[in-house]
Amino acid sequence: MTSTADAPRSPGRPRSVRADEAIIEATLDLLAEGSTIEALSIEAIASRAGVGKATIYRRWPGKDALLLDALRRLKGILPQPAGHSVRDDLVLLVGAVGHNIDPRAAKIMPCLVPEVNRSPDHFQLYQNIIEPRRHMMREVLRRGIRIGELRADLDVEVTMALLTGPMLIQRMLRWHPELDDLILPERVVDAVLEGIRAR
Amino acid sequence: MTSTADAPRSPGRPRSVRADEAIIEATLDLLAEGSTIEALSIEAIASRAGVGKATIYRRWPGKDALLLDALRRLKGILPQPAGHSVRDDLVLLVGAVGHNIDPRAAKIMPCLVPEVNRSPDHFQLYQNIIEPRRHMMREVLRRGIRIGELRADLDVEVTMALLTGPMLIQRMLRWHPELDDLILPERVVDAVLEGIRAR
C-alpha cells in the first residue's frame, strides 16, 4: 500500500475517522449479538470492521480501552445541567440514568452485570463509564448545598444512590412493571428533595 | 423397585424430602457453575441430583416452577417486620434487599439480569420471586400512612423503588465502591423518611 499522506484529501471525513467508527461499530455489533466481554477478541473486531489488527492497536492500547470508548458511545454524550434550578438539573441527570441512545444498549448493558461481578478489570471498566456521570450529579448536589437549597449535612454519596437506584433497577430490570419510566425521574427527584431540601 | 409405602418409616427425614432437597441443590449448583436458565435442562438436574426425570415431574410441573422454588430457597425466608416502628421495619426490609443467605447467589443473581430482559417467562419468574417482598414493604408503608406516621398522599410504589433501588444497585453492581453495605439500609431509610414523614 502506498502512502497517501501527501496526496490531496478526498472529500468527506478522513479515512482514519471512518476506521475509528467502523471499529467501534464492530465492537458494539459483536456485543449486541451476544458475545461476552471475555470472549470478544481484537481479531474478531478487526475482521468485522474490515481492518487489520494493527489498525486497532495504533488507536487503542488494548481491548479494555476500546471497550471503554465503545460503551461510552453507547450511552451517548453526557447531559449538561443548565445550572439554574437544582431540581431541574437533577431531573435531567436522573432521566439519563440507564438511558442509552443506541438500541443495541438494551442487549449489551444488562449482560455487563454478571461480567462486572466476575472480573476486577470489568468492574473497573464499569466504574470508568459511570464515574463521569456520578461526578456530574455530585456537583449539582454540592452546588445545592453551597447555595443553601439543600441541607448542609447532606450525605452526597448516599443521595446519589437514592437518585440513581430507582431509575437503574427500573430500566435494567423493569423492577416494577407498573412504574412509568417517563414520569419516574420527576417523582424520584421530588420525593428525594422533600428529604434533603433545607428548611 | 418394590413399594415401601406399607413398610415402617426409617429414621430421619422421609425419602421424598431428601429427593426434593437434592433436586433443588442440583438446580442451584448447575446455575452457580455458569449454566444459563435457558440451557438448564430437567435431564441435567435429574442426573446431577441422582434421581429420575419422573421424580422431578412428580413434584414440579416444569422447569420454571422448579426454578422458582430453587431461587426462593436461595434468597432465604422473608424477614418478618415486628410492626412496632415503621422505621425499624423499613430498615429490616431494606437490609434484606439483594441479600441472599446462600453464597451461590452471588454467582446466580447477577446472571439473571440479562435473562430477565430476554424472555417474558423469565421476567415473570423474577416478578414471582420479588413480589412477595415488595408486598411486605408495601404493607409497612400503608400501615405508616394509616397510623399517621407517613404522608397521606404518599406514592407507595415510587417510595418502594426509592427504598429498594440503592441497595439493589449496590449489592448487585457494587455501584459505588465506597458505599458501605452495612450502614446503607439505615442511611437510605432515614433519607427517604425525611421526605415522606408526616409533619
Side-chain angles (χ1 to χ4, degrees):
Chain A
M1 201 163 126
T2 57
S3 165
T4 57
D6 298 322
R9 285 199 177 280
S10 59
R13 291 194 281 183
R15 195 173 56 183
S16 67
V17 172
R18 292 199 311 269
D20 281 7
E21 297 221 329
I23 293 163
I24 294 267
E25 287 300 303
T27 305
L28 293 175
D29 281 345
L30 290 167
L31 288 173
E33 287 162 16
S35 171
T36 62
I37 290 185
E38 210 147 10
L40 195 66
S41 70
I42 294 289
E43 209 139 26
I45 296 168
S47 150
R48 178 68 164 253
V51 303
K53 281 166 67 175
T55 305
I56 297 181
Y57 282 118
R58 264 199 303 277
R59 291 161 165 81
W60 289 277
K63 192 170 85 172
D64 281 355
L66 168 54
L67 273 170
L68 182 59
D69 277 358
L71 295 174
R72 276 184 178 157
R73 166 78 62 96
L74 201 59
K75 297 201 71 65
I77 54 169
L78 281 164
Q80 295 298 324
H84 303 310
S85 140
V86 170
R87 178 185 181 276
D88 290 354
D89 287 354
L90 290 178
V91 170
L92 179 79
L93 294 178
V94 170
V97 169
H99 178 76
N100 300 284
I101 51 160
D102 191 309
R104 287 171 295 193
K107 288 189 190 301
I108 296 175
M109 298 309 285
C111 295
L112 289 184
V113 179
E115 309 225 31
V116 162
N117 284 278
R118 266 188 221 122
S119 137
D121 286 352
H122 298 154
F123 177 67
Q124 197 49 55
L125 177 69
Y126 169 71
Q127 289 294 320
N128 291 343
I129 295 168
I130 65 173
E131 180 50 31
R133 289 159 186 266
R134 261 197 319 239
H135 175 74
M136 202 162 260
M137 192 179 282
R138 193 179 287 127
E139 289 307 304
V140 172
L141 292 172
R142 285 186 180 152
R143 181 167 57 81
I145 295 171
R146 254 192 336 266
I147 63 178
E149 235 182 277
L150 302 181
R151 268 174 30 198
D153 65 343
L154 188 64
D155 186 326
V156 171
E157 306 302 314
V158 169
T159 307
M160 290 199 297
L162 274 177
L163 290 163
T164 304
M167 287 307 297
L168 205 51
I169 64 172
Q170 190 58 18
R171 289 215 165 121
M172 201 166 58
L173 280 167
R174 280 180 299 151
W175 178 76
H176 192 313
E178 280 157 43
L179 283 180
D180 179 347
D181 270 31
L182 286 178
I183 61 163
L184 195 55
E186 288 197 65
R187 293 289 178 85
V188 166
V189 170
D190 285 335
V192 172
L193 271 182
E194 281 303 295
I196 65 179
R197 208 185 277 279
R199 294 172 217 290
Chain B
M1 199 163 126
T2 57
S3 165
T4 56
D6 298 323
R9 283 198 179 281
S10 59
R13 292 197 282 185
R15 195 170 57 184
S16 66
V17 173
R18 291 200 312 268
D20 281 8
E21 297 221 329
I23 293 162
I24 295 266
E25 287 300 303
T27 305
L28 293 175
D29 281 345
L30 290 167
L31 288 173
E33 286 161 17
S35 171
T36 61
I37 289 185
E38 210 148 10
L40 195 67
S41 71
I42 293 289
E43 210 140 25
I45 296 168
S47 151
R48 178 68 164 252
V51 303
K53 282 166 67 173
T55 306
I56 297 182
Y57 283 118
R58 263 198 303 276
R59 291 162 166 80
W60 289 278
K63 192 170 83 171
D64 282 355
L66 168 54
L67 273 170
L68 182 60
D69 278 357
L71 294 174
R72 277 184 178 155
R73 166 78 61 97
L74 201 57
K75 297 201 71 64
I77 54 169
L78 281 164
Q80 296 298 325
H84 303 309
S85 141
V86 170
R87 178 186 182 276
D88 290 352
D89 288 354
L90 290 178
V91 170
L92 179 79
L93 294 177
V94 169
V97 169
H99 177 78
N100 299 285
I101 51 159
D102 191 310
R104 288 171 295 194
K107 288 188 189 302
I108 296 175
M109 298 310 284
C111 296
L112 289 184
V113 178
E115 309 225 30
V116 162
N117 284 279
R118 267 188 221 122
S119 137
D121 286 352
H122 298 156
F123 176 69
Q124 197 48 56
L125 177 68
Y126 168 72
Q127 289 294 321
N128 290 343
I129 293 168
I130 64 173
E131 179 50 32
R133 286 156 189 268
R134 260 197 322 240
H135 175 74
M136 203 162 258
M137 192 180 284
R138 193 180 285 126
E139 289 306 304
V140 172
L141 293 172
R142 285 187 180 150
R143 181 168 55 83
I145 296 171
R146 256 192 334 266
I147 63 178
E149 236 181 277
L150 303 180
R151 269 173 32 197
D153 64 345
L154 187 65
D155 186 327
V156 170
E157 306 302 314
V158 169
T159 306
M160 291 200 296
L162 275 177
L163 291 164
T164 304
M167 286 308 296
L168 205 51
I169 64 172
Q170 190 58 18
R171 289 214 165 123
M172 202 166 56
L173 280 166
R174 280 178 300 150
W175 176 76
H176 192 314
E178 279 156 44
L179 284 180
D180 179 347
D181 270 34
L182 286 178
I183 60 164
L184 196 55
E186 286 197 65
R187 294 288 178 86
V188 166
V189 169
D190 285 335
V192 173
L193 271 182
E194 279 303 294
I196 63 178
R197 208 187 277 280
R199 294 171 218 289

